[in-house]
């Protein structure tokens, strides 16, 4: 026998503990690579320059809601978009003397956000000066008992709910336009570095009764995963105390905190509030809701997979199964959570396509440009 020939030594069998350790290391490498790949792709998309939009030689007086949080981030989004798209913006809010300010500044347009606390006689006087007025309603169809009495005082009405358009037109409003909100990129964008939050599933929002009733059916299943729920009133949920700090009760999260939680979650649930809710709504006509809520765009802008309940007009904004995933029942939602947590590549592909679509079509400068185009051509 040649001295260079060495019989192979069979590897020693691993103990169960060693096998588990090896599998853990391999899974760690795999998950780390997958996470790094996702963050890299998110960084590429997030770093693309936005499409340039025209800057109009006009002066807009922007009237903020005056309501504070959570409306103040909307005010910021609209105001900064106006400032980037017009020659001059005068910023004020509903608590100021708008007639005096408009008379001194003579803007081409007075744009009001929400307008629920604005004395309508001020808008009437501004229109009497020959200045165009517009309102962008923030909460349709949930407070239509109030908005139905407001809209006739403006030249242009913009609503984020498609089903409200015809109701306002029936009141005699000739310029009613469907204009949903969008994603404000300084607030909602993906976390590019290693995220400080790591969750399987997140839901962030107030515990309206339709949400409580929806979740109570599947809480034990949902909490089998690393799931966290944030928002006010979640003590309404039976057995909420059993889940400890995985249900954060009574916490308002800033947009930046919310975006970090979204981006650090593999799946984010978007469950819309109901248009029928005697405890919180003022919608006597029971106008139904067909349009996606603002969270739809904010979740997608954060670079995560969004599971949303079905809304009739949702496909106008995202392709179900490609850019967003939808569900109709609690059990269907759970089935899809299990599927996408087990199929990482599909989950990431939909998240990336959702982000790409948002950056292309659903940012506030795009929406504000659309509003200005309707008014000024």
């Amino acid at each position: 026998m040649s001295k260079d020939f060495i019989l192979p030594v069979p590897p020693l069998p691993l103990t169960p503990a060693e096998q588990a350790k090896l599998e853990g290391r391999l899974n760690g490498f795999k998950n780390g690579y997958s996470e790094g790949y996702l963050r890299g792709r998110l960084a590429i998309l997030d770093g693309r320059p936005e499409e340039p939009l025209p800057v109009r030689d006009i002066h807009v007086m922007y009237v903020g809601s005056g309501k504070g949080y959570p409306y103040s981030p909307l005010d910021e989004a609209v105001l900064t978009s106006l400032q980037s798209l017009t020659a001059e913006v005068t910023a004020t809010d509903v608590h100021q003397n708008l007639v005096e300010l408009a008379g001194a500044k003579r803007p081409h347009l007075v744009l009001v956000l929400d307008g629920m606390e604005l004395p309508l006689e001020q808008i009437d006087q501004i229109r009497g000066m020959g200045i165009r007025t517009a309102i962008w309603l923030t909460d349709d169809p949930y407070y239509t008992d109030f908005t139905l009495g407001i809209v006739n005082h403006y030249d242009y009405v913009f609503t984020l709910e498609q089903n409200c358009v015809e109701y306002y037109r029936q009141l005699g409003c000739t310029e009613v336009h469907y204009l949903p909100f969008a994603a404000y990129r300084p607030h909602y964008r993906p976390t590019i570095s290693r995220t400080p939050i790591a969750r399987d599933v997140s839901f962030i929002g107030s515990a309206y009764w339709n949400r409580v009733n929806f979740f109570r059916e599947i809480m034990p299943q949902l909490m089998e995963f690393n799931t966290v729920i944030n928002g006010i009133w979640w003590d309404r949920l039976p057995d909420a105390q059993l889940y400890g700090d995985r249900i954060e009760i009574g916490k308002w999260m800033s947009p930046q905190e919310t975006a970090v939680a979204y981006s650090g979650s593999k799946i984010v649930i978007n469950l819309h509030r109901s248009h029928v809710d005697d405890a919180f709504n003022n919608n006597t006509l029971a106008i139904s809701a067909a349009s996606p809520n603002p969270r739809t765009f904010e979740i997608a802008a954060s670079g995560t997979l969004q599971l949303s309940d079905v809304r009739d007009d949702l496909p106008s904004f995202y392709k179900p199964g490609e850019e967003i995933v939808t569900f109709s029942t609690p059990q269907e939602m759970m089935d899809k959570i299990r599927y996408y947590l087990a199929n990482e590549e599909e989950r990431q592909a939909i998240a990336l396509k959702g982000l790409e679509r948002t950056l292309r079509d659903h940012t506030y400068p795009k929406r504000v440009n659309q509003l200005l185009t309707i008014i000024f051509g």
Side-chain angles (χ1 to χ4, degrees):
M1 182 182 291
S2 168
K3 64 180 181 180
D4 296 325
F5 181 77
I6 301 174
L7 290 172
V9 179
L12 294 174
L14 298 177
T15 67
E18 290 171 330
Q19 182 69 28
K21 184 177 180 180
L22 177 61
E23 290 176 357
R25 290 181 62 191
L26 293 174
N27 287 333
F29 289 138
K30 179 182 178 181
N31 292 338
Y33 175 83
S34 177
E35 181 71 11
Y37 173 80
L38 174 63
R39 299 294 157 190
R41 292 289 303 277
L42 292 171
I44 292 171
L45 291 174
D46 189 56
R48 289 180 182 174
E50 291 193 47
E51 175 190 359
L53 297 170
V55 178
R56 290 173 168 80
D57 187 21
I58 57 174
H59 176 194
V60 177
M61 190 169 96
Y62 177 68
V63 183
S65 66
K67 288 184 173 181
Y69 194 80
Y71 291 85
S72 51
L74 299 176
D75 282 319
E76 181 182 344
V78 178
L79 176 59
T80 56
S81 298
L82 280 170
Q83 289 169 335
S84 70
L85 297 173
T86 64
E88 183 180 357
V89 178
T90 296
T92 183
D93 64 48
V94 297
H95 302 302
Q96 308 307 312
N97 187 329
L98 304 183
V99 176
E100 183 178 304
L101 186 59
K105 295 288 187 178
R106 302 299 303 185
H108 298 95
L109 171 69
V110 172
L111 173 61
V112 178
L113 187 76
D114 182 68
M116 301 283 279
E117 298 180 2
L118 174 60
L120 293 173
E121 60 269 17
Q122 292 200 41
I123 290 297
D124 295 339
Q125 291 180 58
I126 291 171
R127 289 181 76 184
M129 299 176 189
I131 298 172
R132 278 180 276 199
T133 61
I135 187 169
W136 197 353
L137 298 167
T138 59
D139 292 291
D140 281 341
Y142 309 111
Y143 299 111
T144 48
D145 291 352
F146 304 123
T147 59
L148 289 169
I150 289 175
V151 290
N152 266 323
H153 293 263
Y154 291 85
D155 298 303
Y156 294 85
V157 176
F158 296 90
T159 174
L160 49 66
E161 175 48 57
Q162 185 184 59
N163 284 346
C164 284
V165 172
E166 189 57 35
Y167 281 92
Y168 296 148
R169 287 176 178 165
Q170 289 174 6
L171 294 175
C173 300
T174 57
E175 292 284 354
V176 184
H177 302 274
Y178 175 38
L179 191 67
F181 286 149
Y184 183 47
R185 291 192 66 192
H187 289 168
Y188 292 95
R189 61 195 327 151
T191 302
I192 302 306
S193 58
R194 182 176 292 276
T195 175
I197 289 178
R199 302 176 182 174
D200 290 332
V201 183
S202 281
F203 177 81
I204 299 176
S206 301
Y208 294 108
W209 285 112
N210 72 298
R211 292 171 174 171
V212 172
N213 294 330
F214 183 96
F215 279 117
R216 68 189 300 173
E217 297 183 35
I218 40 88
M219 280 302 292
Q221 298 177 63
L222 191 57
M223 289 300 179
E224 290 175 5
F225 305 101
N226 178 16
T227 301
V228 179
I229 295 174
N230 307 90
I232 60 173
W233 308 326
W234 281 104
D235 50 343
R236 294 173 173 171
L237 188 68
D239 300 327
Q241 70 281 359
L242 297 179
Y243 303 106
D245 58 5
R246 296 174 66 190
I247 300 181
E248 292 191 353
I249 297 172
K251 179 181 179 182
W252 280 108
M253 297 173 67
S254 70
Q256 293 85 350
E257 289 177 303
T258 303
V260 170
Y262 285 163
S263 191
S265 303
K266 293 183 177 181
I267 295 173
V268 175
I269 299 168
N270 182 13
L271 180 62
H272 292 74
R273 62 188 285 191
S274 173
H275 69 280
V276 179
D277 188 332
D278 292 338
F280 296 101
N281 293 350
N282 291 274
N283 182 17
T284 303
L285 295 177
I287 301 172
S288 62
S291 304
N293 60 14
R295 289 188 188 276
T296 305
F297 309 107
E298 295 163 357
I299 294 169
S302 302
T304 190
L305 174 66
Q306 178 172 182
L307 270 180
S308 174
D309 59 326
V310 175
R311 284 250 165 142
D312 290 345
D313 201 39
L314 185 59
S316 299
F317 301 92
Y318 296 99
K319 294 179 181 178
E322 294 184 27
E323 298 165 336
I324 196 171
V325 175
T326 60
F327 61 86
S328 298
T329 66
Q331 199 53 56
E332 183 185 6
M333 187 190 77
M334 287 308 312
D335 291 342
K336 291 185 174 181
I337 286 174
R338 292 189 183 96
Y339 177 83
Y340 285 104
L341 288 178
N343 291 273
E344 188 75 5
E345 290 185 6
E346 289 186 54
R347 180 188 70 80
Q348 291 189 2
I350 295 173
L352 289 165
K353 288 179 181 178
L355 172 61
E356 188 170 21
R357 178 69 182 275
T358 304
L359 299 181
R360 185 176 74 241
D361 296 334
H362 305 315
T363 63
Y364 271 96
K366 295 286 178 68
R367 297 285 196 264
V368 172
N369 180 63
Q370 184 179 347
L371 181 149
L372 295 175
T373 299
I374 289 170
I375 297 175
F376 295 101

